[in-house]
Amino acid sequence: MTTVAYGAHPDQVADLHLPPTGRGGAPAPLVLLLHGGFWREPYGRAELSPLAADLASRGWAAANVEYRRVGGDGGWPTTFLDVARAVDVLPEEVGRIAGGTVDTGRVLLLGHSAGGHLALWAGLRHRLPEGSPGRTADVPRLTGVVALAPAADLRWAHDLGSGRGAVADLLGGGPAQFAERYAAADPAALGGVEVPTVVVHGEQDENLPVEMARRYAEAAGARLLTPGNCGHFDLVDPRSAAWPLVAAALEDLLAAPGE
């Protein structure tokens, strides 16, 4: 494992896990991982280290991304700027380190929970209102996005009180106070996906309702998978029965026509 910086702040780093042999000699595709934890500082990238190692064993180059969180220099707009910068900078940095062993033209995002929200948002940066932090003029150059149990609708999550007010902590308040922030941060407000996107949400999720994923996927045109007997954290446990479904979703995006 090698730690790669994508900025000057100590949290602007990613742990890079490289596959031992690649894919039959072909360069490995790159997946950027975005961890969850209510966007809050006590929760970090270590929670996805086993997942990153498992992906590397399957022939992926996995960059486990850290970003600034609420309580540690993060929140609005810093957390979003970090994720945007990671997506823009890390493929080139990984290519510099790994050389021809990684195909930096095939980059996918995989995020869980709060990180699932950030992964959806990163795939929609071209849809952000003019002047919004992290906005791009063009569709992000991503092969695909996989969002696991994402906070796909921030207004809904705010109204539910998810994470004891985590959405308000991230954006500085509620939608009545900061409508413009919600308009620039909420995947449910940003329209349909153009980057191929898969949302995976367990039927037994105890943190966020599976109906949030259903409504989002239908409105945005994302593919939806809802494994039964699957909770919020099963999706990021390589030992769980749900994990092969997640790994297969990544492979399907990689093999999609035009990629």
Side-chain angles (χ1 to χ4, degrees):
M1 184 190 75
T2 302
T3 299
V4 184
Y6 64 89
H9 192 277
D11 282 338
Q12 292 177 320
V13 294
D15 296 332
L16 177 62
H17 298 248
L18 293 174
T21 57
R23 296 184 169 223
L30 175 63
V31 58
L32 307 180
L33 307 180
L34 298 171
H35 68 82
F38 306 114
W39 309 277
R40 288 182 174 136
E41 198 273 336
Y43 306 97
R45 68 190 186 279
E47 70 171 76
L48 293 190
S49 293
L51 188 151
D54 183 89
L55 286 170
S57 75
R58 296 171 183 265
W60 291 82
N64 191 11
V65 179
E66 196 54 273
Y67 51 88
R68 285 174 283 183
R69 282 102 58 218
V70 174
D73 297 330
W76 177 268
T78 312
T79 295
F80 296 88
L81 290 172
D82 279 4
V83 170
R85 182 173 177 83
V87 172
D88 292 344
V89 170
L90 277 172
E92 182 177 351
E93 288 300 303
V94 169
R96 182 180 61 80
I97 291 169
T101 65
V102 176
D103 183 353
T104 58
R106 295 189 297 169
V107 180
L108 289 89
L109 286 182
L110 185 150
H112 174 243
S113 195
H117 154 259
L118 293 170
L120 292 174
W121 175 86
L124 293 164
R125 289 164 58 201
H126 61 298
R127 293 195 177 277
L128 302 183
E130 290 285 346
S132 298
R135 186 183 185 276
T136 59
D138 301 317
V139 179
R141 297 182 63 184
L142 293 167
T143 300
V145 172
V146 176
L148 309 177
D153 188 321
L154 292 187
R155 285 176 175 262
W156 189 351
H158 172 269
D159 291 345
L160 288 172
S162 298
R164 303 176 306 281
V167 177
D169 288 346
L170 174 69
L171 296 181
Q177 298 167 276
F178 295 107
E180 75 288 351
R181 296 184 183 182
Y182 281 77
D186 191 349
L190 293 174
V193 300
E194 292 181 67
V195 175
T197 299
V198 179
V199 177
V200 188
H201 203 119
E203 292 278 1
Q204 304 302 317
D205 193 302
E206 64 279 15
N207 285 23
L208 290 166
V210 67
E211 186 60 26
M212 182 182 293
R214 289 196 178 104
R215 291 189 194 178
Y216 174 78
E218 181 177 3
R223 180 186 175 199
L224 176 65
L225 302 173
T226 56
N229 197 28
C230 175
H232 191 72
F233 295 100
D234 293 327
L235 295 173
V236 288
D237 183 353
R239 302 164 299 178
S240 77
W243 174 240
L245 181 71
V246 176
L250 284 168
E251 294 289 351
D252 287 348
L253 286 171
L254 194 66
E259 302 299 339

